Amino acid sequence: MSSVKLVFLGTGSGKPLPSRGVSSVALFRDGQMFMFDCGEGTQVQLAKSSMRPGTLEAILLTHFHGDHINGLPGLLGTLTLNQRQGALPLLAPKGLKQWFKTLRQVGILNTGFTMELQEVGKAGVVLQGDGWHIEAHKLKHRVPCWGYAFVENARPGRFDLERAKALGVPPGPMFGKLQRGESIVLEDGKTISPDDVLGPSRPGLKIAYCCDTVPCEGAIELA
């Protein structure tokens, strides 16, 4: 099973306080960090945490109100100073590319790495990787607003030890292969498939992030 950690970098609204930043949550899974929103002061909160900016895999913004995005230019500048090399996906509602163009035109933003800008325009999977995907659904706010859910792939069903023994599977490496979804061949030539010893697949972990919305269908779908 993967290791997942959530760090609330900011939970305030409107303005940061000495003891609390504004909206930002970091999800850390197996050496990769995903950031949802990036309000003012997020990078300071990040520096106080045990999270390493170099592990940042993607940033997802719900909407363009300042308490959700004003920390982004500073964070990207710090990543440049830290000599980040890998491309960084950035997802947000329509208007993201124009916003970035304006920041560059006035000299506020000049990253030393590639930004992969993606404007979210419809519900569904918007980003995926090894063993996970992120889906988006529209929320209800005064401005266009999207919520996200980080979803792990389904896990294999529970291993039936007694069933495996009854089929003649010897304890050891073959148990592990079956649990990973691989078929095996016994010494007598008999093939045992994972379906013979595994129960129904189990849903992976799902974490939904919904901000600044009234109850709506999109939030229900995400959660």
Side-chain angles (χ1 to χ4, degrees):
M1 182 180 293
S2 61
S3 172
V4 176
K5 179 180 181 181
L6 279 178
V7 177
F8 292 85
L9 299 170
T11 59
S13 175
K15 63 180 182 181
L17 300 173
S19 60
R20 185 175 67 181
V22 286
S23 297
S24 184
V25 171
L27 186 155
F28 193 77
R29 177 188 183 272
D30 290 350
Q32 295 178 307
M33 179 168 63
F34 304 85
M35 181 176 289
F36 298 88
D37 282 337
C38 189
E40 182 181 349
T42 291
Q43 66 169 318
V44 176
Q45 298 296 87
L46 186 61
K48 293 178 181 178
S49 75
S50 60
M51 316 283 276
R52 293 179 288 111
T55 62
L56 191 56
E57 187 74 11
I59 299 175
L60 300 100
L61 305 177
T62 55
H63 61 289
F64 287 112
H65 280 161
D67 55 340
H68 293 257
I69 66 167
N70 282 347
L72 186 59
L75 174 62
L76 297 180
T78 294
L79 292 176
T80 297
L81 292 174
N82 289 346
Q83 299 183 333
R84 180 188 174 96
Q85 299 298 317
L88 180 62
L90 175 61
L91 289 78
K94 185 178 180 181
L96 174 65
K97 294 178 181 179
Q98 180 60 48
W99 184 50
F100 257 66
K101 181 179 179 181
T102 301
L103 290 175
R104 289 190 175 109
Q105 285 177 338
V106 297
I108 292 177
L109 188 63
N110 184 23
T111 59
F113 53 91
T114 301
M115 294 295 304
E116 297 178 349
L117 305 181
Q118 180 179 337
E119 295 185 336
V120 180
K122 63 179 181 179
V125 176
V126 292
L127 196 66
Q128 56 187 338
D130 184 16
W132 58 267
H133 70 266
I134 296 177
E135 57 188 58
H137 281 275
K138 198 167 187 179
L139 304 178
K140 284 191 176 182
H141 192 27
R142 297 191 306 275
V143 298
C145 184
W146 290 84
Y148 303 98
F150 183 93
V151 187
E152 291 185 326
N153 291 356
R155 296 175 291 156
R158 297 190 183 279
F159 183 68
D160 188 336
L161 179 60
E162 296 305 317
R163 175 63 176 163
K165 289 180 178 179
L167 290 171
V169 182
M174 287 188 175
F175 278 11
K177 286 186 176 181
L178 288 167
Q179 288 174 309
R180 292 192 296 272
E182 303 173 26
S183 295
I184 62 169
V185 179
L186 302 180
E187 289 185 358
D188 61 5
K190 182 181 180 181
T191 299
I192 306 296
S193 73
D195 291 339
D196 294 327
V197 295
L198 297 180
S201 62
R202 294 171 290 170
L205 179 69
K206 184 176 187 181
I207 299 175
Y209 180 80
C210 304
C211 276
D212 294 25
T213 180
V214 297
C216 64
E217 190 65 29
I220 294 173
E221 288 293 329
L222 289 169

